[in-house]
């Protein structure tokens, strides 16, 4: 049986910055004898709302695994696709939500659970523009960190492959290798560095896909985290129609000890490359 982590290029490894995709990256590097072929490129798309722990973790993975991770950010212009991304490094990466805020201003609309264009534009299309414009590839593999115990998400990825609407095909080596969350967590327990986030936190600090209870706990533990999200909202531009982030922050401030428990086993998933994996 061939090693599912042996990737033939041209291929992009979509590194979300979470533990699962970092485990996948390690296994791919291991399968290639400690390095990667020139036509297998690792990308990390930064929205500007990733936790600082995530940025440090991405940097540490690059150093410890001996790979060059291409850090990308969405740029909004009315020009050609070439202008729709920029490359940054750890030190120059946005940390105050600049790419995300630019996208919201450009569309004059906030993403929500039904219209998740943040993932599409800040992650998927940003990587696509980089591949087409910087690497010059017309077709490629998109290697993502979906585990075997996330079968429903893997099936959706395979269905998109069958539809053939994208210039890439999605590859899920962890599914083929039957790797599960336990494998991932056991791996990181044995390492001398880690992501340093609780399971319910996720990489995107207050993603609107998180449950309201979880968002309240995050605001309770890290007061002021909701402010950026509140600043993006207007009466007609909301991430969630039921409650604004300003209202959420006000409630937590008024009742700071009401929200004090979230199961750390919660898996804050936000998408294929969105940065929400554990």
């Amino acid at each position: 049986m061939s090693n599912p982590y042996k990737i033939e290029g041209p291929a992009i490894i979509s590194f979300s910055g979470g533990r699962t995709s970092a485990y996948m990256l390690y296994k791919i590097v291991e399968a290639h004898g400690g390095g990667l072929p020139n036509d297998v490129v690792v990308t990390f798309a930064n929205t500007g709302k990733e936790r600082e722990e995530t940025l440090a973790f991405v940097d540490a993975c690059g150093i410890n695994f001996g790979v060059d991770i291409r850090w990308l950010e969405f740029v909004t212009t009315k020009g050609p696709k070439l202008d729709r991304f920029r490359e940054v490094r750890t030190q120059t990466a946005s940390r105050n939500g600049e790419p995300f805020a630019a996208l919201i201003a450009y569309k004059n609309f906030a993403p929500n659970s039904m219209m998740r264009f943040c993932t599409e534009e800040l992650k998927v299309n940003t990587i696509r523009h980089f591949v087409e414009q910087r690497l010059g590839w017309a077709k490629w593999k998109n290697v993502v960190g979906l585990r075997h115990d996330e079968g429903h998400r893997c099936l959706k990825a395979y269905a998109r492959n069958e539809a053939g609407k994208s210039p890439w095909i999605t590859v899920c080596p962890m599914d083929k290798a039957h790797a599960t969350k336990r494998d991932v967590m056991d791996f990181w327990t044995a390492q001398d560095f880690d992501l340093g986030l609780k399971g319910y936190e996720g990489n995107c600090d207050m993603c609107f896909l998180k449950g309201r209870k979880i968002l309240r706990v995050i605001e309770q533990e890290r007061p002021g985290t909701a402010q950026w999200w509140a600043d993006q909202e207007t009466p007609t531009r909301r991430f969630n129609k039921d409650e604004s982030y300003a209202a959420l922050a006000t409630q937590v401030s008024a009742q700071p000890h009401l929200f004090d428990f979230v199961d750390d086993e919660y898996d804050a998933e936000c998408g294929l490359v969105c940065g929400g994996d554990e």
Side-chain angles (χ1 to χ4, degrees):
M1 180 179 176
S2 60
N3 187 339
Y5 294 108
K6 193 73 176 290
I7 306 299
E8 292 185 5
I12 288 295
I13 299 174
S14 294
F15 181 25
S16 75
R19 292 184 180 96
T20 292
S21 60
Y23 170 89
M24 177 189 71
L25 176 58
Y26 174 86
K27 297 297 286 186
I28 292 172
V29 172
E30 180 184 58
H32 286 275
L36 292 175
N38 291 334
D39 60 353
V40 177
V41 178
V42 186
T43 61
F44 167 67
N46 176 44
T47 69
K49 289 307 293 173
E50 265 77 32
R51 289 277 296 264
E52 186 64 34
E53 293 92 335
T54 300
L55 303 184
F57 184 62
V58 173
D59 191 46
C61 286
I63 294 170
N64 284 274
F65 300 165
V67 296
D68 180 28
I69 299 173
R70 308 289 287 269
W71 291 50
L72 309 174
E73 290 185 357
F74 168 87
V75 174
T76 177
T77 74
K78 295 183 179 180
K81 290 181 180 179
L82 184 61
D83 299 323
R84 297 298 177 89
F85 74 91
R86 69 172 185 146
E87 282 201 70
V88 298
R89 303 304 294 176
T90 311
Q91 298 81 3
T92 58
S94 297
R95 286 169 163 79
N96 296 303
E98 295 91 338
F100 203 162
L103 175 63
I104 293 171
Y106 179 71
K107 287 186 174 287
N108 195 26
F109 193 77
N112 54 59
S113 60
M114 301 301 294
M115 298 180 64
R116 288 175 49 200
F117 60 81
C118 49
T119 299
E120 188 71 15
E121 296 294 344
L122 298 174
K123 299 284 186 175
V124 178
N125 285 340
T126 294
I127 293 172
R128 176 178 182 167
H129 296 154
F130 163 76
V131 173
E132 293 177 339
Q133 300 295 328
R134 189 62 53 83
L135 303 181
W137 298 348
K139 300 284 184 180
W140 64 93
K141 295 173 184 173
N142 183 39
V143 187
V144 299
L146 292 180
R147 304 184 305 264
H148 187 60
D149 54 341
E150 299 176 288
H152 63 295
R153 301 178 75 205
C154 296
L155 290 175
K156 287 182 179 179
Y158 300 147
R160 284 190 290 268
N161 289 345
E162 291 294 325
K165 295 181 179 180
S166 301
W168 65 83
I169 60 169
T170 299
V171 178
C172 308
M174 296 184 69
D175 178 40
K176 303 302 181 185
H178 288 195
T180 66
K181 183 176 180 178
R182 172 168 295 225
D183 296 314
V184 172
M185 301 312 290
D186 286 349
F187 172 81
W188 287 109
T189 298
Q191 305 308 307
D192 57 7
F193 73 102
D194 187 29
L195 176 58
L197 293 177
K198 301 169 186 175
Y200 62 83
E201 290 179 304
N203 294 325
C204 183
D205 61 14
M206 288 198 85
C207 173
F208 54 85
L209 293 180
K210 294 182 173 77
R212 308 311 284 176
K213 178 179 178 181
I214 290 172
L215 291 177
R216 292 184 181 101
V217 169
I218 291 172
E219 176 65 15
Q220 174 185 294
E221 294 177 340
R222 299 172 60 88
T225 305
Q227 187 61 55
W228 180 91
W229 300 83
D231 290 343
Q232 308 310 309
E233 294 187 313
T234 68
T236 59
R237 192 175 76 184
R238 296 263 294 272
F239 294 100
N240 188 301
K241 63 182 178 63
D242 296 323
E243 182 181 38
S244 69
Y245 276 85
L248 182 149
T250 298
Q251 183 182 21
V252 172
S253 179
Q255 299 174 299
H257 303 295
L258 184 61
F259 316 103
D260 59 359
F261 174 77
V262 171
D263 185 357
D264 195 37
E265 289 299 307
Y266 177 83
D267 211 353
E269 307 270 4
C270 296
L272 293 180
V273 292
C274 192
D277 71 350
E278 279 215 307

